[in-house]
Amino acid sequence: MSNAMYNKMWHQTQEALNSLLDKESQLLEPQRNQVFIFQTLATYYIKYVQIFGNLENVYDQIVHPQKRRLIRKILDGVMGRILELKNEMVELELTEFHYFDDILQDLKLAPQQLDIPIPKYFLKEKMDVIKEREKILAQILAASGLDVTDTVWRGFHQNKKTEREREEEMVFLGMNPPPLFNKVSATIIQAEKVISLRNEVQSRHEEDYKEALITIKDSLKLVEGTDIKENLQDQIRHWFIECRNLTGTFPNYPKEEEGGSAVIFSNKTTEQVIDDIIASREEDEKTKKKKKTKKEKKPKNAKKDKEKKETKEKNKEEDEGWKMSPSVFLPTMEEGNNVYKDLWKNKDESWNFPQDYDPELIKEEKRKELESEIRVQVDELMRQELKNLKLAVNREKELPAKTGKKGGKKKNKGKKGKKRKKDKDLTADRTIESLYKELVEEGLLIQALKVNLSDYIGEYSYLGTTLRQVSIEPMPSLLDVRQLIALYGVLPLGSAAVHEKAPLVKSLLLAGPSGVGKKMLVHAICTETGANLFDLSAANIAGKYPGKNGLQMMLHMVFKVAHQLQPSVVWIGDTEKTFYKKVPSAERMMEPKRLKKQLPKILKLLKPDDRILIVGTTKRPFDAELQSFCRVYQKIILIPRPDYASRYVLWKEIIQRNGGVVTNALNISCLAKVTDGFTQGHIVQVVKGVLTDRRIRQQIHKPLTAIEFIESITSMSPVYQEEEESFKDWYSKTPMGRKRALALTGGTTEKEKDKGKKKEKKGRKEKKKK
């Protein structure tokens, strides 16, 4: 695609965004219809996801540096708004999973178009840093005599599984693609060349733009600096004189910390400033009169009136119904959209075919910057001039400003008392590099496997809405899970602007049977965002940094490095062990509960500007003490065994990845039906076992059949329906699960619950009396 095509795509996307922002601004009335509310939220969400996909593509490909800056601002705004709408839907439906089949049908969209795009800039803009870090990591591992793969896989296989199982999982994760996958078509090679050239142009234009910012500002300073200074001085002098003529006194000059003269003259003429002064004086007089009359007419029952007013307001709020929560990202998008309309929508760019920077826009921007800098110098001069004028004309010395020493001291004392004690830096004398090295050598900072989120194969659930309409709670599909990982893990970690303002997710729990790809998803979050991966699994920290002080030091080091080199993922594998109800005797020596008391404290310390995500994985959540478990893990994602649609896609994809050829002789549908209950891990194992080098060579004469795979799978134990039900039962006891169950059973309120408890107590007392 050419520059013109991407420009056209941007204009179309901005039109769609403009239309959606108009609709958002019209949704002001409170709503009571639950179905209408969800349909509205879901429609906005879906449309923003479409806009997000297009904007991401445009930002990645457009080469104009000034356009890219604006697109990036809007792109981050759209990402943040998607997360806000997701949060609204979760609070409305009391579930992490939503089904949009009917809305998608109305909008004529396929479910695949709901896929959350992962911006390429997450990695592209810090590729050098990531490569350097990977190089250092490899060097530390080599110098320590640790094999890279051994260290990596320690986190995956604490109990040292066989080499063959390791290889199977590596293939499943997309690390060892089959020979056929390496054959790339000429079209793809050509497309990659075009992308590479575009990236070069993008970088060159960016460098030229940064240079121009300096040279153009220097040129403006030389040519226009003196004029700007003189104009500012004339404007301020005029303000002094006019103000005295109209009000009888000279004005007070705003202090530097208040913004100086810029506060008064922001986009205003001197006449407008004078009008403002007169208006404010009149307003002051009016308010003084009002205060006097209020004091005279004080009602006797003021307290009662206040209470009545409060109860009225509360009742009004309850009757009002649902209202959209205020958005942090809508103003950002609106501002960006207005800049687009004013600057780029109808701009003639026939002169700028290569799409290099626009010098006139830089001049405009730098002129304002230069004016601000010169204004600071002018303010100093004019403050002194005003002082001299007052002395000369009024013959009155300025009284020294009241310092209010007593009050000031008291205030300071109060502030000092409120200040929170800053945490002591236990490693103030050490460099981040030395801490990083130690954590790698101790196996606490591990190398993330190169696996993309798109490698987590699955299919959408097409019956979600239908099942919910007949009060059956569907199990989420694998692609529903993938969506949540993108929303709660990848997008906030990838963008600092989004993480800082979006609904904050500090911790995530992935719960599901063995073999469904929980650990793979942890590695995918790191791959997509370039995040560091720390392993604080109970088995991995056993015997390391012993004692209370040792534990404190370990956590201090981990989170100091995680913060300094953010984004970072802190993974706790088999996390139920950290929260055991009862520690098995065989594991007592390991001290699996070492982190239990520390994790809630750590979570409290994480702030919106800390791009650190704690991710726990568990195949036995029922072994954990529920209350403390749920206190640490803010979001719980239940990962199911694959359904029929996902098994169909998995069989086909994994067979092809391992060199198999799918022909009419191979009934994939039959394979998907008979393998109900089997996970991705099972499928990989079977495919790997059947597709030996010899069998791959024989395919020309003897095509693959379903029976070959079925024979291998009969010796394996599936995840039975009962096990899946036990996960569902466990989830129903979590805070979100309980809220949802309560809403489905007619929404028994907490007050009604309390009444019930009181009745029970009364009943017991009466029984005792009898």
Side-chain angles (χ1 to χ4, degrees):
M1 274 170 84
S2 64
N3 288 331
M5 288 298 284
Y6 282 111
N7 273 317
K8 190 182 177 184
M9 191 178 179
W10 180 36
H11 293 313
Q12 286 169 347
T13 307
Q14 285 292 154
E15 286 303 313
L17 179 64
N18 189 53
S19 164
L20 195 48
L21 290 172
D22 282 348
K23 279 181 185 170
E24 284 240 53
S25 64
Q26 287 160 21
L27 191 75
L28 300 169
E29 291 298 310
Q31 303 295 328
R32 286 181 188 83
N33 185 332
Q34 187 96 348
V35 177
F36 172 79
I37 296 164
F38 179 73
Q39 295 264 342
T40 306
L41 287 171
T43 306
Y44 287 174
Y45 173 83
I46 293 164
K47 285 186 175 179
Y48 273 119
V49 170
Q50 304 305 299
I51 289 166
F52 178 25
N54 290 334
L55 271 182
E56 196 284 316
N57 199 1
V58 166
Y59 179 70
D60 184 57
Q61 294 297 317
I62 245 170
V63 295
H64 195 299
Q66 286 145 305
K67 285 180 187 175
R68 292 189 84 241
R69 271 162 176 71
L70 176 62
I71 295 164
R72 169 68 175 271
K73 184 183 178 179
I74 299 167
L75 178 64
D76 284 346
V78 170
M79 262 194 277
R81 187 65 187 137
I82 287 168
L83 294 179
E84 285 179 335
L85 289 168
K86 172 67 183 172
N87 193 51
E88 289 277 357
M89 290 189 288
V90 170
E91 286 183 3
L92 183 78
E93 289 209 309
L94 302 170
T95 175
E96 297 293 352
F97 299 100
H98 317 288
Y99 300 99
F100 309 121
D101 358 328
D102 50 343
I103 302 166
L104 288 169
Q105 229 171 342
D106 293 343
L107 296 171
K108 294 180 175 62
L109 294 169
Q112 286 75 14
Q113 287 172 282
L114 265 182
D115 253 357
I116 300 293
I118 294 164
K120 288 177 268 301
Y121 83 76
F122 286 180
L123 297 177
K124 197 171 162 183
E125 290 179 10
K126 57 175 183 179
M127 192 53 77
D128 294 341
V129 176
I130 294 166
K131 280 181 178 173
E132 186 59 31
R133 203 176 291 165
E134 282 176 357
K135 190 178 160 188
I136 292 164
L137 183 57
Q139 282 169 355
I140 296 166
L141 291 167
S144 313
L146 296 163
D147 179 50
V148 177
T149 49
D150 280 348
T151 311
V152 169
W153 285 97
R154 191 191 301 167
F156 260 105
H157 299 272
Q158 287 297 337
N159 55 351
K160 301 277 181 184
K161 289 195 177 180
T162 62
E163 198 66 35
R164 183 182 159 204
E165 284 175 311
R166 178 181 294 177
E167 201 177 304
E168 283 159 7
E169 198 159 352
M170 281 171 84
V171 171
F172 171 49
L173 296 173
M175 289 183 70
N176 288 352
L180 286 171
F181 264 61
N182 295 328
K183 289 182 181 176
V184 184
S185 70
T187 316
I188 292 170
I189 292 165
Q190 182 57 32
E192 282 175 357
K193 272 185 186 175
V194 171
I195 290 167
S196 178
L197 283 168
R198 191 173 279 277
N199 287 343
E200 280 174 31
V201 173
Q202 227 174 48
S203 302
R204 195 169 61 247
H205 284 192
E206 181 65 25
E207 281 167 27
D208 292 347
Y209 173 69
K210 282 177 181 173
E211 272 179 38
L213 289 175
I214 299 160
T215 53
I216 288 174
K217 186 179 176 180
D218 290 345
S219 167
L220 279 172
K221 200 171 187 176
L222 206 67
V223 177
E224 298 179 20
T226 313
D227 290 344
I228 291 170
K229 188 179 178 181
E230 285 172 5
N231 288 339
L232 286 173
Q233 285 176 315
D234 290 347
Q235 189 186 37
I236 293 164
R237 275 194 198 103
H238 186 55
W239 169 54
F240 291 166
I241 294 155
E242 284 297 316
C243 196
R244 190 171 186 275
N245 289 344
L246 288 163
T247 64
T249 55
F250 282 117
N252 291 322
Y253 211 104
K255 293 174 187 173
E256 194 179 333
E257 55 268 27
E258 289 169 355
S261 60
V263 175
I264 293 157
F265 291 98
S266 55
N267 302 322
K268 287 180 184 177
T269 61
T270 313
E271 286 72 26
Q272 285 171 320
V273 170
I274 303 304
D275 290 343
D276 286 351
I277 291 164
I278 295 164
S280 69
R281 289 222 165 175
E282 286 172 1
E283 193 63 39
D284 286 347
E285 282 170 20
K286 278 180 189 176
T287 49
K288 278 178 189 175
K289 282 178 186 176
K290 276 182 185 176
K291 277 181 184 176
K292 277 184 183 178
T293 51
K294 272 188 180 179
K295 278 182 183 176
E296 286 163 18
K297 294 179 183 180
K298 247 195 176 180
K300 289 178 184 177
N301 301 327
K303 200 176 181 183
K304 281 185 181 178
D305 291 346
K306 195 184 177 185
E307 282 172 9
K308 277 181 185 177
K309 198 180 178 184
E310 279 175 9
T311 50
K312 269 185 183 178
E313 279 174 10
K314 273 188 182 178
N315 293 335
K316 196 184 175 185
E317 270 177 36
E318 283 169 17
D319 294 340
E320 267 183 0
W322 178 90
K323 253 189 171 184
M324 182 87 81
S325 302
S327 168
V328 184
F329 293 96
L330 274 174
T332 308
M333 290 190 288
E334 279 161 0
E335 192 185 312
N337 191 44
N338 289 335
V339 171
Y340 162 77
K341 285 194 278 191
D342 295 344
L343 210 61
W344 298 106
K345 190 178 178 181
N346 301 311
K347 193 174 180 72
D348 176 22
E349 287 191 276
S350 53
W351 62 274
N352 192 5
F353 180 73
Q355 288 290 283
D356 210 335
Y357 68 83
D358 186 329
E360 288 307 312
L361 289 178
I362 296 177
K363 276 183 189 174
E364 207 175 300
E365 183 193 325
K366 290 296 163 187
R367 199 173 274 121
K368 285 177 187 173
E369 207 176 282
L370 190 62
E371 189 181 290
S372 298
E373 288 170 14
I374 293 171
R375 191 181 284 278
V376 174
Q377 299 162 17
V378 167
D379 280 352
E380 269 183 53
L381 296 169
M382 297 312 285
R383 269 192 200 96
Q384 192 56 49
E385 195 172 304
L386 181 63
K387 207 172 189 178
N388 296 338
L389 271 172
K390 282 182 176 181
L391 284 168
V393 179
N394 297 342
R395 300 277 176 224
E396 60 184 36
K397 282 187 182 178
E398 281 184 310
L399 291 166
K402 287 180 184 178
T403 51
K405 279 180 185 178
K406 286 179 185 175
K409 273 186 182 177
K410 277 181 187 174
K411 277 181 188 175
N412 289 344
K413 272 186 185 176
K415 278 182 186 175
K416 272 184 188 175
K418 281 182 184 177
K419 264 190 184 177
R420 219 183 85 225
K421 198 179 175 184
K422 207 178 178 185
D423 291 328
K424 193 181 174 187
D425 188 351
L426 301 173
T427 54
D429 58 335
R430 291 183 61 181
T431 64
I432 282 294
E433 289 76 19
S434 76
L435 296 175
Y436 184 90
K437 185 172 183 282
E438 186 177 325
L439 290 171
V440 173
E441 286 168 348
E442 288 291 342
L444 296 174
L445 202 164
I446 63 172
Q447 195 171 47
L449 299 171
K450 291 280 175 276
V451 51
N452 294 100
L453 196 55
S454 57
D455 293 332
Y456 190 74
I457 308 156
E459 186 51 280
Y460 281 95
S461 168
Y462 292 88
L463 293 169
T465 308
T466 314
L467 289 168
R468 274 196 177 163
Q469 281 166 355
V470 291
S471 299
I472 296 169
E473 190 55 32
M475 273 304 274
S477 73
L478 298 183
L479 289 198
D480 290 324
V481 169
R482 193 167 90 182
Q483 294 274 50
L484 288 188
I485 298 297
L487 292 167
Y488 295 150
V490 179
L491 297 191
L493 281 182
S495 166
V498 171
H499 195 280
E500 217 165 293
K501 294 176 183 175
L504 191 57
V505 176
K506 297 179 183 182
S507 55
L508 204 57
L509 176 68
L510 310 180
S514 189
V516 291
K518 298 183 290 293
K519 292 189 270 294
M520 174 191 181
L521 289 168
V522 175
H523 286 262
I525 294 171
C526 297
T527 302
E528 298 289 9
T529 59
N532 302 289
L533 179 57
F534 298 85
D535 181 1
L536 292 186
S537 307
N540 193 44
I541 63 171
K544 295 173 185 178
Y545 300 91
K548 193 181 175 182
N549 290 342
L551 180 64
Q552 197 183 349
M553 177 58 82
M554 178 183 79
L555 291 172
H556 162 77
M557 286 168 67
V558 165
F559 283 91
K560 185 177 178 179
V561 175
H563 173 77
Q564 290 279 338
L565 306 178
Q566 57 183 294
S568 297
V569 170
V570 177
W571 170 48
I572 307 170
D574 295 325
T575 189
E576 77 285 347
K577 294 178 189 290
T578 310
F579 300 90
Y580 264 146
K581 290 174 191 169
K582 189 181 178 184
V583 180
S585 52
E587 293 183 36
R588 275 183 198 148
M589 287 290 285
M590 195 173 80
E591 288 185 276
K593 293 171 80 171
R594 282 178 82 193
L595 291 178
K596 187 184 173 182
K597 287 181 182 175
Q598 302 300 322
L599 286 172
K601 293 174 189 174
I602 288 163
L603 282 166
K604 274 184 184 176
L605 294 171
L606 292 180
K607 299 286 178 282
D609 59 348
D610 295 321
R611 278 186 293 154
I612 299 170
L613 182 69
I614 295 173
V615 186
T617 55
T618 176
K619 51 180 177 280
R620 293 198 59 80
F622 6 89
D623 290 350
E625 194 268 300
L626 190 69
Q627 207 174 359
S628 52
F629 206 33
C630 294
R631 203 178 292 133
V632 165
Y633 291 110
Q634 189 186 343
K635 292 282 183 188
I636 298 171
I637 301 175
L638 210 54
I639 304 179
R641 51 193 191 152
D643 56 10
Y644 168 80
S646 290
R647 288 195 305 278
Y648 185 93
V649 175
L650 281 161
W651 275 112
K652 191 175 178 182
E653 188 78 17
I654 293 165
I655 286 169
Q656 288 175 332
R657 278 190 174 220
N658 284 279
V661 179
V662 177
T663 64
N664 291 336
L666 177 59
N667 191 336
I668 301 278
S669 179
C670 168
L671 269 179
K673 277 176 192 165
V674 299
T675 51
D676 187 12
F678 290 93
T679 65
Q680 298 95 311
H682 288 123
I683 295 170
V684 168
Q685 207 175 325
V686 169
V687 171
K688 200 69 180 143
V690 170
L691 290 176
T692 59
D693 290 343
R694 188 173 172 226
R695 185 66 190 90
I696 289 167
R697 286 196 300 272
Q698 289 174 342
Q699 285 183 103
I700 303 162
H701 314 293
K702 187 187 172 187
L704 292 171
T705 61
I707 198 73
E708 295 175 71
F709 298 100
I710 292 165
E711 280 170 359
S712 298
I713 213 154
T714 48
S715 60
M716 294 178 179
S717 297
V719 175
Y720 293 105
Q721 186 69 37
E722 291 77 14
E723 190 180 339
E724 192 163 88
E725 287 303 319
S726 67
F727 276 96
K728 271 185 163 183
D729 291 344
W730 170 80
Y731 186 77
S732 68
K733 292 168 192 166
T734 65
M736 182 70 83
R738 283 205 313 272
K739 281 181 190 173
R740 174 120 183 114
L742 203 65
L744 292 172
T745 53
T748 316
T749 61
E750 293 297 318
K751 284 180 185 176
E752 284 171 355
K753 272 185 166 181
D754 292 340
K755 281 180 191 174
K757 281 176 187 175
K758 283 174 187 174
K759 280 180 186 177
E760 275 178 37
K761 280 182 184 177
K762 269 188 183 179
R764 282 176 203 152
K765 281 179 184 176
E766 282 166 14
K767 277 182 184 178
K768 280 179 184 178
K769 282 177 186 176
K770 285 176 185 176

